[in-house]
Amino acid sequence: MNGMPFDEQLVDIVGPNDQSKPGGEAQLDISWIMAMGRGAPTKFLSFCGPGPAKGPCGAYVLDWAMWVGNQTAPPLVTSISYGDTEGGYAKKFAGFSYIDRMELELTKMAARGLTVVAGSGDAGATNVSEEGNDISQTDPDCSKPRPFFPSDSKYVVSLSSSLLSTHTTPFCNIPPPTLAGAGTNVLCERVGEASVSMTYGGTYWTTGGGMSGHIAAPDYQRAAIASYKAQVAKLGYALPKSGTYNPQGRMYADLTTLGFNLNIVLNGKVGPIGGTSASGPLMGGLFTIINDRLLALGRPPLGAPHHWLYGKLASTNGAYNDLTYGRNDDGDWQPRHSPYKTLCPGAGFPLTPGPDAVSGFGSPNMDVWFNNLP
């Protein structure tokens, strides 16, 4: 990928894979997790199981989890680029039994020292107009936030997406007055990093994030959530309408990496692609490098790293590149006569200095991380 040597012997394919019909999502995942975690043996996992389905495959994320549970030496890091809203799973399974069983399996993975990352969704907090739900139909409106699972699991590292730009409208040429003194990181005389958003970033989709409606905020996150709510109040920002979300829920995303205009090779051509499903494999590759360091030092693998992310790293100066501007109100771009909305003012969550419900802590500063290993 991108001119780097590729060793096919490093890839083990598990499950169906028709090389004559490559998928953009699959190509994105395998290309970038291997580009970032260079030289690491990698499994390409493909599942198409039974259960309630929108297409030919059922709720296959649990099929993957059961496969992991039956392996004596499963991958130490897994990136998942799929999922659905909590409401979508609850409707298909007549309750939260599926999510609860997944949480149990993810608990087992954490206990085994396994790390799982997942994208926070590509249609803002409400998931409006997203056609990629695993098992449920497209969400039609902006009426409420729709938390995205398994990204909002307390055992999964949730990834939001950012972009690099020196001239993206509006945050470079018309900074809102409310940002005065807020410590914004948008420095437009040079390349800066900002959250992917239609209204606030000029992109054609919006990164996900929010608060779980079913999974309670874990202990490791309570201080971060309190900090976020304090910043929202201090800056006078608006949260979604009361009663439409769970203010006591698990806040996600945890981290941000680049997820806009990443190149892949598909059908013999190089082209750009993006999504939080790009950010997930990027971070998965970086976690693989961290595991390499840990194992070389004789330490156990990273596992679920949340206590490290929210503890030692959160209190270490320079560990994160803070993203502070924007909101994830909107969905993704819709053609003129689409029945779905594109823009949803006020329906999502704001970014703030410090941890927030869109970008998490921001993007990782790997030099600092390597000097502060768990």
Side-chain angles (χ1 to χ4, degrees):
M1 177 64 190
N2 294 339
M4 295 193 299
F6 177 72
D7 185 354
E8 290 188 2
Q9 295 181 352
L10 289 174
V11 182
D12 178 21
I13 297 175
V14 177
N17 178 50
D18 185 350
Q19 292 186 341
S20 68
K21 298 178 181 178
E25 189 71 67
Q27 192 72 0
L28 167 65
D29 293 356
I30 195 69
S31 296
W32 278 98
I33 197 169
M34 294 190 71
M36 302 304 292
R38 185 176 174 184
T42 303
K43 290 185 182 293
F44 179 89
L45 305 175
S46 175
F47 296 90
C48 184
K54 181 175 67 175
C57 297
Y60 41 80
V61 179
L62 182 56
D63 294 328
W64 156 76
M66 301 302 289
W67 176 87
V68 171
N70 288 323
Q71 303 301 303
T72 56
L76 291 179
V77 179
T78 299
S79 173
I80 303 174
S81 291
Y82 302 92
D84 209 318
T85 63
E86 290 181 345
Y89 283 118
K91 183 176 180 180
K92 289 286 187 176
F93 288 92
F96 290 103
S97 59
Y98 183 91
I99 290 178
D100 291 341
R101 179 55 190 267
M102 269 298 306
E103 284 292 274
L104 176 60
E105 295 303 320
L106 289 164
T107 305
K108 297 176 186 177
M109 293 183 204
R112 297 179 70 185
L114 309 181
T115 305
V116 180
V117 299
S120 62
D122 299 348
T126 70
N127 204 50
V128 62
S129 71
E130 173 57 57
E131 296 181 351
N133 294 341
D134 275 7
I135 62 174
S136 68
Q137 300 303 316
T138 302
D139 293 302
D141 56 45
C142 313
S143 60
K144 60 183 179 180
R146 298 180 177 91
F148 204 74
F149 186 84
S151 189
D152 66 354
S153 165
K154 58 188 174 184
Y155 302 106
V156 169
V157 181
S158 176
L159 266 295
S160 182
S161 287
S162 62
L163 58 90
L164 295 177
S165 177
T166 59
H167 58 271
T168 301
T169 300
F171 59 73
C172 280
N173 52 6
I174 314 176
T178 52
L179 282 179
T184 176
N185 70 319
V186 181
L187 303 174
C188 299
E189 67 272 13
R190 62 179 177 83
V191 172
E193 187 178 6
S195 183
V196 173
S197 166
M198 294 194 69
T199 296
Y200 296 88
T203 58
Y204 57 89
W205 58 278
T206 305
T207 193
M211 293 183 173
S212 171
H214 179 64
I215 300 169
D219 289 342
Y220 65 72
Q221 199 181 48
R222 294 189 185 278
I225 293 176
S227 171
Y228 176 53
K229 291 179 178 178
Q231 285 288 345
V232 168
K234 175 184 176 181
L235 296 170
Y237 290 168
L239 292 168
K241 186 183 301 183
S242 178
T244 64
Y245 76 102
N246 175 18
Q248 307 303 319
R250 187 276 208 251
M251 187 170 76
Y252 74 108
D254 300 304
L255 300 171
T256 297
T257 68
L258 294 178
F260 188 76
N261 279 354
L262 277 69
N263 283 336
I264 65 167
V265 178
L266 184 63
N267 294 319
K269 298 179 180 180
V270 178
I273 195 169
T276 57
S277 53
S279 299
L282 259 71
M283 195 65 234
L286 294 175
F287 280 141
T288 297
I289 297 172
I290 292 171
N291 268 338
D292 185 62
R293 293 281 186 97
L294 291 173
L295 295 174
L297 293 171
R299 300 182 190 177
L302 189 60
H306 301 83
H307 288 278
W308 180 49
L309 299 176
Y310 284 83
K312 184 175 184 179
L313 290 181
S315 61
T316 300
N317 187 44
Y320 299 110
N321 304 306
D322 194 12
L323 280 71
T324 61
Y325 173 64
R327 300 180 60 93
N328 68 346
D329 294 339
D330 305 322
D332 55 17
W333 181 86
Q334 295 295 301
R336 182 182 298 272
H337 299 295
S338 170
Y340 308 118
K341 285 184 174 292
T342 294
L343 305 179
C344 306
F349 294 82
L351 286 86
T352 66
D356 59 63
V358 182
S359 67
F361 284 106
S363 60
N365 184 335
M366 296 307 293
D367 284 341
V368 177
W369 285 32
F370 287 140
N371 289 324
N372 291 274
L373 294 173

